Amino acid sequence: DIIVASNLQPRPSGFAITKLENFEYIDLWYFTRAGCMEAAAQARATDNEGLSLTGGQNNERLGLRSTSTATASKNAIQDEALPWNEFTQARYAYLDYLPKAGWPRELYTDMAAFFIHVETHPLARTGDMGQKVLLEYQARTRRDWHDHARRGTVFNISELNEDLIKIIKDDQQARNNERVSLPLPKRHNIS
């Protein structure tokens, strides 16, 4: 006999799951505790929800989908702005849903290795700045990977591109320097 699991994971929104099923980029916020709690609250509040028309592109069939699964959350946080601890927690739920969304084992394995390499990169241990670099790197890389996937060509995402990481690090340092460099007040001679 099979019994219910001791730890039931909160579910992400239908919007997030649909994005995964279509191999489209989705911010990891949807897989955080806050994102899943919002999805649960929305599901309870929309028992008598409306439907929206979907499909109709590239000879796809038209269909109906509940409006709660058709819209993004106004509370979603982009990956680049997620706190590191929420990123590491969200990626577990994200990876858990990839096979459920019909992802082939090879793509799932590559994505899992990607996250492991990001989380264990030396910059992750340098504190907030290094983690922000890696958050931006993973978001930009996953967006590009999903763009390629929709065109039917994917690259090996599990191999980190150190050149791109350095470019992002340099860009972030330049942006930080711009914020810090304020004009000095003029000195007045007192004689």
Side-chain angles (χ1 to χ4, degrees):
D1 287 340
I2 298 174
I3 62 170
V4 67
S6 299
N7 183 14
L8 297 176
Q9 295 292 329
R11 284 183 189 199
S13 68
F15 172 77
I17 292 170
T18 300
K19 289 280 196 177
L20 289 182
E21 290 171 345
N22 294 330
F23 291 90
E24 295 177 25
Y25 177 83
I26 184 76
D27 284 309
L28 292 174
W29 176 86
Y30 288 93
F31 300 89
T32 64
R33 182 168 171 75
C36 292
M37 298 292 276
E38 179 182 291
Q42 183 181 19
R44 285 190 298 274
T46 57
D47 284 339
N48 297 321
E49 64 190 14
L51 299 173
S52 66
L53 198 59
T54 63
Q57 299 175 357
N58 301 328
N59 296 325
E60 291 179 25
R61 292 184 183 194
L62 291 176
L64 295 175
R65 176 171 304 185
S66 72
T67 53
S68 68
T69 64
T71 57
S73 169
K74 66 181 184 325
N75 298 316
I77 298 171
Q78 289 188 332
D79 283 3
E80 296 87 341
L82 268 184
W84 185 257
N85 66 324
E86 288 186 31
F87 159 72
T88 58
Q89 292 170 4
R91 73 98 169 158
Y92 286 109
Y94 175 84
L95 289 172
D96 188 46
Y97 273 89
L98 296 184
K100 296 173 187 174
W103 281 43
R105 183 175 188 82
E106 181 181 351
L107 296 183
Y108 166 81
T109 302
D110 287 348
M111 192 63 72
F114 169 72
F115 281 114
I116 290 168
H117 292 147
V118 168
E119 288 181 47
T120 59
H121 191 278
L123 279 177
R125 296 186 300 275
T126 64
D128 196 42
M129 182 64 183
Q131 293 168 352
K132 286 182 180 184
V133 169
L134 293 171
L135 286 169
E136 184 175 340
Y137 171 81
Q138 73 78 29
R140 288 172 60 176
T141 302
R142 281 194 314 113
R143 279 186 193 101
D144 191 46
W145 186 91
H146 282 282
D147 288 346
H148 279 81
R150 282 197 317 271
R151 293 190 301 264
T153 60
V154 293
F155 53 86
N156 184 356
I157 194 168
S158 69
E159 296 293 325
L160 301 188
N161 182 332
E162 292 296 334
D163 292 336
L164 180 56
I165 291 172
K166 183 180 180 335
I167 290 168
I168 292 169
K169 182 180 178 186
D170 292 346
D171 287 349
Q172 285 190 9
Q173 285 175 337
R175 288 192 304 263
N176 286 340
N177 290 342
E178 287 173 6
R179 282 186 226 129
V180 171
S181 63
L182 300 173
L184 296 173
K186 291 183 179 179
R187 292 185 177 205
H188 297 286
N189 288 337
I190 302 176
S191 358

